[in-house]
Amino acid sequence: MHAMVLRTAGAPLELEDRADPAPGPGEIRVKIRACGVCRTDLHVLDGELPGIRYPIIPGHEIVGRVDQIGPDVTSHRIGERVGVPWLGYTCGVCRFCSNGMENLCDYPLFTGYTRDGGFATHTIADARYAFPLGEGDDDVAIAPLLCAGLIGWRSLVMTGQAERLGIYGFGAAGHIVAQVARWQGRQVYAFTRRGDEAAQNLARELGAIWSGASDDLPEMPLDAAIIYAPVGELIPLALRAVRKGGRVVCAGIHMSDLPSFPYRLLWEERQLVSVANLTRQDGLDFLRIAPQAGIHTHTTPYPLAQANEVLARLRQSEILGAAVLVPNE
């Protein structure tokens, strides 16, 4: 197999040849057809997440075909198309797993972070955390759904019945969630970096009734807002934009430090909450809804060997929609 490997924090990925891995009990081997590139991959590269295992193969928006099955696996078959998401393993017995909150498992493994991921030609996955994808859209189009879509869906659910929804950061997750929200009949307000006309135009093309800079205020207070950009300074701006009793959902796994802000922005029963990972039920729910909502992902494919260049472009916010790595074999 070939893989783009991170050997230490801050280093460029290295293209490496490895022996083909073999699945163990409860595992499958997946021949990768596409792997989306997520901003969380930058947090792994930069060592901003705790407990990273080096060397590590990043990537957690994996679409591929099962090409080998380990002992005790009855849920998948050879040749089946599957998706492998960020949450790659849970213990099943801790207090959170036992109470339907496996996304908060005390002993999890994460794809592309604490177990090898999808910037490669093959990967090993826990069969329980590989979603059947059927034979619908092409592999590149589906890949961003495995994180940007799934986490986006969980964060959207956490906004409740909000009619006027703000989305801060209109990248991979934002452009997917906007489509689901419009399908649900919500009004979407898109917030981007000042001057990012490409993202603002995309938002309007996808049905946003308003788009502007993150420090702008829409003409009407929002019922809820979701923050996808990993920028702590956006929290007081989003709180300022929501109505009394409104909710701000922080959807990233990592965010820069929060600035101090006056209590009046949180007062009047505004709520500030975070999203952590996802459950398998989140995945099943979203993958069932995605075709009904008619989601069209805006993707640009790149060869696997160009992973470093793609990540550099993502860091500079030069990716419109989502970038997807495609192995050469």
Side-chain angles (χ1 to χ4, degrees):
M1 63 174 279
H2 306 304
M4 296 296 289
V5 181
L6 178 67
R7 296 202 165 276
T8 187
L13 302 181
E14 299 178 17
L15 183 60
E16 183 177 301
D17 292 332
R18 291 186 173 186
D20 290 343
E27 295 179 331
I28 57 175
R29 188 174 73 188
V30 178
K31 185 173 183 179
I32 298 170
R33 303 290 295 274
C35 184
V37 182
C38 176
R39 187 162 290 274
T40 301
D41 296 320
L42 291 177
H43 300 318
V44 173
L45 263 65
D46 294 343
E48 294 174 324
L49 305 182
I52 300 175
R53 178 181 65 82
Y54 300 107
I56 188 71
I57 302 171
H60 56 273
E61 298 179 339
I62 302 170
V63 176
R65 301 274 177 177
V66 178
D67 76 344
Q68 200 170 109
I69 294 177
D72 305 322
V73 175
T74 60
S75 55
H76 298 285
R77 67 183 188 280
I78 299 295
E80 180 182 18
R81 187 166 70 158
V82 297
V84 182
W86 168 251
L87 185 59
Y89 166 88
T90 58
C91 70
V93 296
C94 72
R95 61 178 296 188
F96 297 102
C97 287
S98 299
N99 287 282
M101 296 182 287
E102 64 185 10
N103 60 306
L104 301 178
C105 174
D106 282 333
Y107 308 101
L109 292 176
F110 299 104
T111 309
Y113 168 28
T114 56
R115 67 182 298 164
D116 282 335
F119 289 7
T121 56
H122 295 78
T123 195
I124 299 296
D126 186 318
R128 300 174 303 159
Y129 286 87
F131 297 115
L133 295 178
E135 299 296 335
D137 288 341
D138 68 85
D139 302 320
V140 169
I142 291 178
L145 302 184
L146 271 300
C147 180
L150 294 179
I151 295 299
W153 169 251
R154 186 172 179 86
S155 61
L156 181 61
V157 170
M158 292 185 72
T159 65
Q161 301 301 312
E163 179 181 349
R164 292 190 295 274
L165 176 70
I167 295 177
Y168 285 77
F170 208 82
H175 94 282
I176 292 172
V177 168
Q179 295 176 67
V180 180
R182 290 295 302 127
W183 174 71
Q184 293 176 331
R186 306 179 193 233
Q187 299 174 5
V188 173
Y189 296 73
F191 297 80
T192 74
R193 290 184 178 185
R194 183 166 295 280
D196 191 348
E197 294 184 3
Q200 293 175 15
N201 289 336
L202 177 60
R204 288 190 288 269
E205 290 173 12
L206 296 177
I209 67 170
W210 180 94
S211 62
S214 297
D215 56 354
D216 289 340
L217 279 174
E219 69 278 7
M220 294 286 289
L222 305 173
D223 297 316
I226 307 173
I227 300 177
Y228 291 115
V231 181
E233 287 80 3
L234 292 176
I235 287 180
L237 298 178
L239 285 170
R240 182 186 65 164
V242 299
R243 61 165 172 78
K244 295 181 286 186
R247 173 176 286 193
V248 173
V249 180
C250 301
I253 191 172
H254 176 82
M255 180 176 277
S256 61
D257 289 348
L258 279 60
S260 62
F261 55 86
Y263 176 65
R264 61 178 171 78
L265 294 180
L266 186 63
W267 189 56
E268 295 178 313
E269 299 193 354
R270 293 175 179 84
Q271 301 174 48
L272 178 63
V273 299
S274 69
V275 169
N277 314 313
L278 69 145
T279 67
R280 282 171 287 180
Q281 191 60 51
D282 291 329
L284 295 172
D285 291 344
F286 175 68
L287 292 173
R288 183 183 67 253
I289 285 172
Q292 299 176 37
I295 292 174
H296 173 69
T297 55
H298 290 247
T299 56
T300 305
Y302 297 88
L304 175 64
Q306 291 184 14
N308 285 311
E309 294 93 320
V310 174
L311 288 162
R313 292 195 64 200
L314 179 62
R315 189 184 300 278
Q316 297 302 318
S317 298
E318 295 175 353
I319 301 293
L320 185 63
V324 180
L325 297 178
V326 180
N328 295 326
E329 59 180 63

